[in-house]
Amino acid sequence: MDFSKFSDDNFDVKEWVNSALRIRDDRTPIDAHASNLVMKLQLFIQEVNNALEETSTQSVNNIPRVLREIENIRHDASLLKEQMNLVKEDIRVVEENTAQSMKMLMEIDTVKSRMQDASRALKEADNWTVLSSDVDKVFESGDVSAIAAKLEGMHKSLTVLQDVPDYAQRRRRLEGLKNRLEALLSPKIVAAFNNHSLDDTKEYVKIFTNIERLDQLQSYYIRCHKTKLQKTWNEVRVEDPNKSMLEWLSTFYDVILSTWHTEVTWCGQVFVEPGTVLCTLISQTLAHLDPSLSSCITEFIKNESNIIAKLIELRQVTLRFGHGLEKAVSLQQDKCSTHAANQLVDVVYSPYIPYLLDYPTLQQTFLVEQLQATRLQGDGFMETAGFMAESVEKIFHLAEQAVEYCTDLTDGYAVRGLCHVLEEFFGAYTGRMDECVSILRKECSLDVDPKVDATSNEGISEDWTMFQNAFRLIQICGDLLMKIENLDKRLLASILSTVQDSDSKVDDAIGEKTAAPQRPFQWYNYLQQERPIEYSTFNEFIQKLHSAGDSATVLSSVSDQFQALNERVHSFAFDIVFIQIKQQLGRTPKLEVWSAKSPESGAALSDELPAFSLSPLGYITHIGDYLLTLPQQLEPFITQENPALETAMKAGNLPFPDLQAAYEDEHHPGTFWLGSIARGTMHAYTESILKIHELTPYSTQQLLADIDYFCNVLEALEVTPSQTLTHINELLKATSDKFHEVAHELGVEDRITMAIAGIRSIH
């Protein structure tokens, strides 16, 4: 039985009892097992009681002894305190008795120290004099070690003699002697560096360190190898005239990396910080190339049509070189100063900074040239529509290419400038597209009022080519709306990706002291370094996008421009369909039939002439046939899956909308178009009726027959006749004596009532 659970803080009686009862032999009854448990618990309780009693007895017996020991400790502490007070008093007495003596001893020690300093100064002055007098003879002997020893001794002596009046003069003499030694050793130093003579170089390092001129020795090393690299620079440029700058620059960079890996081991045996020395070597080499790398880049892109693409290719070569240097520098991190590494990064990337800062201008120039070379206007409607459709892919290819260029060339830091460039680019493109639509409208004579020939019986043309091409323009607008949405998402993702990369670099930089290796080439930010104000604006722009969340957009103005173009094209397509109806109805008020009193003779007819005996006139049957043909023309566009056309038609608006259907979430594009054209026709028809000068009883019945036919056409198109048309129909049916009563009951507008009354000569 496990009794340890009784000491648990979360002891549960029920759980323990159930657990104990479950642990039994199947042959043992539950009552017997329970009795056995009770007996064991009683025995355990008895043992616990005995243990408690024994422990309590021992504790009570030990209390007197503990009290005695506590009293002894208190007594000892009191004695110690008294002894400490006595010692403290003795110390105070000693201090009072010996204070004057100690002060005197300190003064004597100070005098002694000053005398020792004076003695040492005199010795060094004498040593300076001796060394100064012998140094010329030593120089004449040419013994470098002896000369170095003399100069080292003079340097130590001069350090002590800093307060003498002629210190400056002595220092100038010593510097002159150092220069003399350096000139004496310079040919040997250059030879040692060229031959990688380790023993000789170590000796020179020791000499220059002792005379505090190690920097000068490193400068000799740098100049020696810089000359070699500059010679290589000139050789690789002219070695093969057929090689482009991309090839020979990569070759030169490989030579530099090879020099690093060749020299780093040797430098590590000579210099304390070989990484610093080699960083300085490469920095000075790249900074003093003749011709400079900047001038070579200028020459390389001078005659290029796509300057940005060439700059990206060239910069990729430099980035690969930078990554190679970064790996090399990281291996020497503890032997390379941060200043030297950062200076190397600046020199490597500095030739590209003017182009990075000028990227928006370069991108805008390229896009403008490409847009100007894009043909939109053709010799006819069909050719123009074809050119406009082809331009969409090209324009968005250029825009997507610009996003890639921005990322590849500027690491995304010029994205604000890119957004402005794209807005202007798409604005210019939209302007040209809008201009094409205006030209097509003129070619189709949509904005010119046609001369009305009342005698003409010409029907409506069945040529639907222009209408089909107009729908191609609507599809182009849908394509533009879809593509600008995708481009906006891609550009936004590119921006946020740039920010994440930048944040990770900042986090790495913050952890630089604890994490290795350093990443100076990865952390390089040209915008923050060259234009900190623009970089702050860039960060504000990013924060605004973050705060916008899922609703963030960067090219909303372009979307608005495309939407406006879509509206214009919708209006254009509607006018192409409606122009013939408009022309047909324009002749209607001047038809001679309205003044006729009978079909043939001039005899008067009764007002009760039945309408069914009259057939609709040609003008209205032409319109009816035209409207009934329209669904067949719309069917190829609305039955096939065409996301671009659907997008444009959902976003576009047509004249004469159905106000009741405007509140519905979705409507069929075909129904939308048919309804708009039918309502436009109704409006034009009612206005045409109101312009009729007079109606005879016969012509009134004829007009009613025309209206009835038109209403049947509307019913076939599932369009409800307008209230105005219904009111006109009722007023035409009304007798002269009940005309005003009918108008009042229907609530007809006064304008319509007066017009119909005048036409029918009802007073």
Side-chain angles (χ1 to χ4, degrees), residues 164-379:
V164 297
D166 60 345
Y167 172 77
Q169 181 179 353
R170 297 189 184 199
R171 182 173 181 80
R172 284 194 298 271
R173 174 167 171 72
L174 179 59
E175 291 299 320
L177 293 173
K178 290 180 180 180
N179 293 337
R180 189 175 172 185
L181 174 60
E182 187 177 322
L184 179 65
L185 291 176
S186 59
K188 298 179 180 179
I189 293 173
V190 172
F193 286 148
N194 286 331
N195 298 325
H196 287 89
S197 178
L198 187 60
D199 294 336
D200 292 343
T201 304
K202 285 183 176 180
E203 182 65 25
Y204 297 140
V205 168
K206 181 179 178 182
I207 293 173
F208 276 72
T209 301
N210 291 335
I211 64 174
E212 296 187 354
R213 287 225 171 171
L214 184 60
D215 291 343
Q216 290 296 106
L217 184 64
Q218 293 177 352
S219 297
Y220 273 105
Y221 174 81
I222 291 170
R223 286 197 297 271
C224 180
H225 288 281
K226 182 175 70 174
T227 303
K228 295 180 181 178
L229 291 174
Q230 288 175 337
K231 182 180 179 182
T232 304
W233 165 259
N234 291 318
E235 290 175 351
V236 297
R237 286 190 310 105
V238 299
E239 182 178 14
D240 186 353
N242 295 323
K243 283 187 176 181
S244 67
M245 183 177 177
L246 297 172
E247 296 174 294
W248 59 255
L249 181 61
S250 179
T251 301
F252 179 66
Y253 281 153
D254 291 341
V255 171
I256 292 180
L257 288 174
S258 176
T259 300
W260 175 290
H261 294 300
T262 301
E263 295 295 322
V264 68
T265 303
W266 189 83
C267 286
Q269 302 178 66
V270 175
F271 301 116
V272 178
E273 292 188 349
T276 300
V277 175
L278 290 174
C279 282
T280 305
L281 165 62
I282 298 175
S283 298
Q284 292 191 13
T285 299
L286 295 175
H288 297 91
L289 294 175
D290 186 22
S292 66
L293 182 56
S294 298
S295 62
C296 291
I297 294 175
T298 303
E299 184 68 23
F300 176 66
I301 64 175
K302 183 171 62 175
N303 297 321
E304 294 293 337
S305 58
N306 191 346
I307 294 176
I308 301 176
K310 290 299 178 180
L311 285 172
I312 290 173
E313 292 178 2
L314 205 58
R315 187 169 179 265
Q316 288 300 319
V317 175
T318 302
L319 287 176
R320 287 194 293 270
F321 171 60
H323 294 158
L325 279 179
E326 187 172 68
K327 292 179 181 178
V329 171
S330 65
L331 296 176
Q332 299 293 323
Q333 182 176 349
D334 55 341
K335 298 178 181 179
C336 180
S337 69
T338 303
H339 173 72
N342 291 335
Q343 188 178 39
L344 176 59
V345 174
D346 290 339
V347 172
V348 170
Y349 291 144
S350 60
Y352 298 95
I353 288 180
Y355 304 102
L356 300 182
L357 297 175
D358 198 38
Y359 164 75
T361 303
L362 294 174
Q363 186 66 71
Q364 185 176 27
T365 302
F366 176 70
L367 291 177
V368 168
E369 292 175 352
Q370 295 299 311
L371 180 58
Q372 290 175 348
T374 303
R375 184 179 179 185
L376 296 179
Q377 185 64 36
D379 294 334

Side-chain angles (χ1 to χ4, degrees), residues 15 31 57 105 389 445 520 548 559 598 627 673 740:
E15 181 182 352
D31 295 340
T57 302
L105 287 175
S445 302
S559 299
S598 67
L627 291 177
W673 265 85
H740 292 289

Side-chain angles (χ1 to χ4, degrees), residues 34-62:
S35 299
N36 188 24
L37 288 176
V38 171
M39 182 180 67
K40 289 182 179 181
L41 284 172
Q42 289 175 346
L43 293 175
F44 179 69
I45 291 170
Q46 185 64 36
E47 291 178 3
V48 171
N49 288 335
N50 293 336
L52 287 173
E53 185 176 356
E54 183 178 354
T55 303
S56 299
T57 302
Q58 290 178 356
S59 299
V60 171
N61 293 334
N62 289 333

